[in-house]
Amino acid sequence: MVLDGDAPTKDVKKRHTYRIIHTGSFFEKSKVTLNKWLYAIYLWSQERKVNTVVKQVDIGEKTVIQMYQYLLDVCSTKLLNTPIELGGPGVVVQIDDCLFNHKSKYNRRGRLKKELWVFGLADTSFKPAITYMELVEKRDAATLLPIIEKAVKPGTIIYSDQWKAYCNIQTELKLKHATVNHSVNFVDPETGVHTQAIESYWAKAKYKFKVMKGVSSDQTI
């Protein structure tokens, strides 16, 4: 026994508690070693291609694709459970939608795949702009306006094209709303309104998903 103020005697043994780092996590049941998982996660965070991970980590392509999909699912779950806060008083948030599979594609059973539309918002107060993107079944006001309401702060100024679903943003969401007619100009010559920040992200997002071997149809981006 060691009393307060007494020095420990030689027969007092130090107790060390050890715990395996992957215990209780998804690593515990994975057939991939922890070292390879950590290396793959690092490469994924650097947006490396699947075939790069296959070569550098020395695991199969199918396994890497499954790992990438799992990491995307984890990030999507985190995003869905984290309040989105874009814009603010006087801050411009640009909105737009984009079709992610322009060409008709068929699955293995010969059925035509459905179109994948993505709705996006870009907070231009950051350089580069911070974006939020979400897969949508429809592009009508009933679908898009609730996403805008969820994602932006009061007082935000919305820039968009003249898609009909946006026409009631000001009346229903009480947000200032300015538009640009893309059939005439990319930037409105009088007001300076444009949506170039959000549009520039579409090509980046498409390339990233191509590198990552696609994205599941229920994910937030």
Side-chain angles (χ1 to χ4, degrees):
M1 179 182 295
V2 180
L3 301 177
D4 291 341
D6 292 341
T9 58
K10 293 182 179 180
D11 61 339
V12 176
K13 296 181 179 180
K14 295 182 179 180
R15 295 183 179 180
H16 297 279
T17 301
Y18 297 94
R19 183 180 179 184
I20 301 175
I21 191 171
H22 64 260
T23 301
S25 70
F26 73 92
F27 296 117
E28 187 174 12
K29 297 181 180 180
S30 176
K31 295 180 180 179
V32 179
T33 65
L34 181 60
N35 286 341
K36 289 187 175 183
W37 255 111
L38 295 177
Y39 192 14
I41 290 173
Y42 168 73
L43 294 174
W44 174 81
S45 71
Q46 299 299 307
E47 301 184 0
R48 301 296 174 84
K49 295 182 179 180
V50 168
N51 58 5
T52 299
V53 181
V54 170
K55 294 177 182 178
Q56 294 191 16
V57 186
D58 191 26
I59 48 182
E61 181 180 17
K62 183 178 179 180
T63 300
V64 175
I65 293 173
Q66 291 174 339
M67 294 168 77
Y68 269 33
Q69 186 62 60
Y70 178 81
L71 294 171
L72 286 171
D73 289 342
V74 170
C75 292
S76 294
T77 300
K78 177 64 176 178
L79 283 173
L80 289 171
N81 293 323
T82 303
I84 309 158
E85 294 186 335
L86 299 179
V91 175
V92 172
V93 169
Q94 299 176 7
I95 63 174
D96 192 27
D97 55 55
C98 183
L99 180 62
F100 266 50
N101 54 343
H102 291 280
K103 297 180 180 179
S104 298
K105 295 183 178 180
Y106 292 83
N107 59 24
R108 293 179 180 178
R109 297 181 180 179
R111 296 176 181 174
L112 184 65
K113 290 185 177 181
K114 67 178 182 180
E115 294 180 334
L116 289 179
W117 282 96
V118 179
F119 179 63
L121 307 91
D123 185 332
T124 61
S125 65
F126 295 88
K127 303 297 180 184
I130 291 179
T131 62
Y132 172 78
M133 301 179 186
E134 186 172 325
L135 290 166
V136 292
E137 292 289 335
K138 298 180 180 180
R139 297 184 298 140
D140 57 4
T143 301
L144 303 184
L145 295 194
I147 297 175
I148 298 171
E149 185 175 29
K150 171 184 68 175
V152 304
K153 300 176 183 178
T156 299
I157 302 171
I158 302 295
Y159 281 8
S160 74
D161 59 21
Q162 295 183 343
W163 175 241
K164 59 183 179 181
Y166 305 145
C167 64
N168 290 326
I169 287 177
Q170 191 154 323
T171 56
E172 292 191 22
L173 303 184
K174 310 303 179 184
L175 298 171
K176 292 183 179 180
H177 181 212
T179 65
V180 55
N181 186 346
H182 279 164
S183 64
V184 180
N185 296 294
F186 289 108
V187 180
D188 190 291
E190 296 183 2
T191 63
V193 173
H194 64 86
T195 57
Q196 293 178 341
I198 183 63
E199 289 173 3
S200 69
Y201 273 83
W202 295 134
K204 296 177 184 178
K206 288 180 179 180
Y207 174 75
K208 182 174 181 179
F209 295 145
K210 182 178 180 180
V211 170
M212 300 296 184
K213 296 291 185 180
V215 59
S216 64
S217 59
D218 61 346
Q219 285 188 319
T220 298
I221 306 170

